[in-house]
Amino acid sequence: MGEARAGEGDDVVRTATARPAVIRWTPWPVRAGWLLRAHRLRHSDSELRRLPGFARAYCKDPRHAGGISPSSLSRWENGLVPVTAGCIRRYEDVLGLAPHRLLLPIQTIARHEGGPAAAAFLRGGDGAPDTDWDRRIDSLLDQVLDGGVLTGADWDGLTRWAAYGGGRVFPGRIRQAVVHRLLEETLVSDGNSWMRRFEALSRLMADPLWGPEAIAVCAGVAEQSEHAGSIEAVCALDGSPHPDAGRTVLRQLTDPTTADSLYGALLAAARKTRKRHFTTEQTRTLVDVVDGLLTGGARMPHPLCTVEAAAVLLHRLPLSAAHTARLTATAADRYPVVRTVVAYGSLADPATASIITGRVVAQLGDDEARPQAAAVLSGIVDDLLHHPVADVRLYAAMLLNASPYGSQAATALAAELRHSATVRSEARAVPVLHALRVLGEPGQRCVVADLTLAGGLPQGVVLAAVHALGHIGGRSPETYWRAVFHQHARAAADATEQHRVLKRLVYGFAMADELDLLTALVEDQVEAAPAQHLSGWWSGLARHVRDSARS
């Protein structure tokens, strides 16, 4: 089973330039199998690199001994049969990997794709010994409500009990408090901690009992103009078919609280449209919103990420060929990326994408002989850099980070940022910088930091670099953060743009644990006073939430 070509699941394949090109996708079992196989083939033990030897080691655990053979492993690794969570955990054990290193990114891509096979996979246990959650739940709820520290395993167990184990919590305000705490931790976590909490939140969002409270919490965040998590909170609504989720997304599209809540709503709308969550009337409203965004005469151009998200919806909406052609032609005069997304289902034309993808893949040291596995790896890198859906790019980075190629990929991406043609193109540089939020290591920190102070670059590139720096390992000296603040805090053209710039600066300072320095800098610069309000959410975040988010 190779790289499938379809509109992320169930879109109708369209032909000719009058219709948008299909957006590529690869079924999650294929990429899950690739990840398992990549680790097995690159293991130091030659016996484990061979399927018969790996099968013998796999079956040493009595819980996994029944019916497992080399052919079983081969079917999983080639994506012919969906692997189970318990089997992934056994791979981790046999290969000597940290628990959940492989499982978490696979859960994430399965959740995003959806469908019956993904639902069955996500509900399945991971093979761990049973825990009597009915006895533990009162203690966990006390920790949630009274400011205790919770681990990712705690959230995993609590939400599995709630969504899959028939657990019931009353009254609704308790459920809402639980979701609020979980969302806060999700917004300030990173890496595996984020993936585990995001999956926990997604379980509650999709659950009939917990869903309304989860939707209400996210809707409340969307209404707060200074909240740091409006993109993620609104985007999370794509996981619920509940009418309230659809109404909240439409409200942020037609009357957005901020540019961030609008962007989050566009991301949510793409997946909700694919899942047919919207009514016919809501879909008409969505058409009007996209038309207005792409062809309206806004004084200031929309951020590129917003334009890309709107262009993706042209692949989802029931537009006539003439309407699509008019929208594309009109929008492309101001936003050339729209034509690229419509024509190729990508952020780059095929020739450019092939060259850049090939350049990165060549640096990964992939010694897998089978063309199919090489094609999957190439497809992941292509998605990382060129997929028009931001969530797909993010999840490709997480998958690559969990693979044996993570460090080489980070080095290759940093090398891309040394190309002048890359850093001067927002459509090319931002996906690289966003990927480094996940893959970046201390060795790439200087390359990214230099971009935040470089002159002559698109502002979107600089802000993406500031954002990425908050996630990349290592630390920068106080002199660096002072220089970044003074260079960008007053550089915006108007109040709206200043709000956007300051919000990204605040995020970068907060994720780098430099909020105290930011407060001191704001006091010395009147023009940056709004940053004090924007940093209020971070400053008011309870210590136990931050401590939990790191676990």
Side-chain angles (χ1 to χ4, degrees), residues 54 168 208 241 288 304 407 418 448:
F54 191 88
R168 294 291 180 262
D288 292 341
L304 186 63
S407 293
R418 294 187 175 94
V448 176

Side-chain angles (χ1 to χ4, degrees), residues 36 147 152 261 272 335 481 483 510 538:
L36 301 179
S261 66
K272 291 183 78 66
Y335 308 111
W481 288 107
W538 291 96

